[in-house]
Amino acid sequence: LLAQFQAADAIYDTHSGIALSEKISTLQNLVDRYNDLPEANQAAALVAVWNNGTDYARSQATTDALEAALTEQESLIAGEIETALAAVNTATTTALMQVAIEENAAVLGLDMTSYNALIEARQPAVSVDLVANKGGNYTIETLKSTFDAIVATRHATQASMDKVNNAGSVEALEGISWVTDLLAQFQAADAIYDTHSGI
């Protein structure tokens, strides 16, 4: 339907008294909102449209049903995000924070690939820094940026230690690269959060 309205807009201006540009904008918005949903919520929205229990008399009714279904799924997601974020913001210990981020990573949109690549013993250190740098409450945006930066810093500290421990010779140290690389990461992190291991 969107594709046809877009093609028609090059030839005439209104459809059922509504500007084609407005129809296009409305339909594009539905497409964008649908595409922004996780697959499970997309499927649930389609089930809601399909299970409406009535025959649709107009195409407008079908798009209205989709709009309502998308709104319902967005509200469900917003509630899940609010609950997950509350778990993070009320976490006052390392253990509680680790549970909050690991159990709610998908809802909060946290990329756990790099986190999971940390040695297991270093993963709680991420939660140490998340608690210490919380200040007020995290928003989704500040949580993501802080989490990513902390994980990157923990990788840098791990790599710095490994560089020295695994060096088979003085030459393998490559001068003090294990210091300068760590310095660069701390400088980058300083633009995002304030303390590392309480310092």
Side-chain angles (χ1 to χ4, degrees):
L1 189 59
L2 173 60
Q4 178 54 42
F5 279 136
Q6 289 170 327
D9 192 40
I11 302 169
Y12 64 97
D13 298 323
T14 66
H15 172 84
S16 295
I18 301 172
L20 284 170
S21 60
E22 182 179 338
K23 298 290 286 185
I24 290 167
S25 177
T26 298
L27 293 178
Q28 185 63 62
N29 178 257
L30 292 177
V31 170
D32 293 341
R33 289 169 62 191
Y34 175 83
N35 288 336
D36 284 343
L37 291 176
E39 287 185 12
N41 298 91
Q42 290 178 346
L46 294 179
V47 167
V49 173
W50 186 72
N51 279 343
N52 193 281
T54 183
D55 288 334
Y56 295 104
R58 304 174 58 229
S59 65
Q60 179 70 49
T62 65
T63 55
D64 286 348
L66 177 60
E67 198 281 332
L70 293 177
T71 298
E72 179 181 9
Q73 293 304 312
E74 289 163 348
S75 295
L76 289 173
I77 291 171
E80 291 173 357
I81 291 173
E82 183 178 351
T83 300
L85 196 57
V88 169
N89 284 325
T90 57
T92 55
T93 67
T94 299
L96 288 173
M97 182 63 79
Q98 188 166 3
V99 169
I101 62 170
E102 291 181 355
E103 291 188 352
N104 296 293
V107 173
L108 295 169
L110 300 179
D111 181 0
M112 299 300 279
T113 303
S114 186
Y115 174 85
N116 290 332
L118 289 168
I119 59 174
E120 189 173 346
R122 195 173 293 272
Q123 290 175 358
V126 172
S127 293
V128 168
D129 290 341
L130 280 172
V131 171
N133 288 283
K134 187 165 49 175
N137 284 338
Y138 286 115
T139 64
I140 287 292
E141 293 74 20
T142 60
L143 176 62
K144 286 181 181 178
S145 62
T146 305
F147 176 80
D148 288 345
I150 289 172
V151 170
T153 301
R154 289 299 173 177
H155 271 290
T157 59
Q158 182 173 304
S160 177
M161 177 186 70
D162 289 346
K163 181 83 169 183
V164 177
N165 286 339
N166 297 334
S169 66
V170 171
E171 289 74 23
L173 290 175
E174 298 178 321
I176 59 167
S177 61
W178 41 280
V179 174
T180 56
D181 289 348
L182 194 56
L183 172 61
Q185 177 56 37
F186 279 134
Q187 289 171 326
D190 190 41
I192 302 170
Y193 63 98
D194 298 323
T195 68
H196 170 87
S197 295
I199 301 170

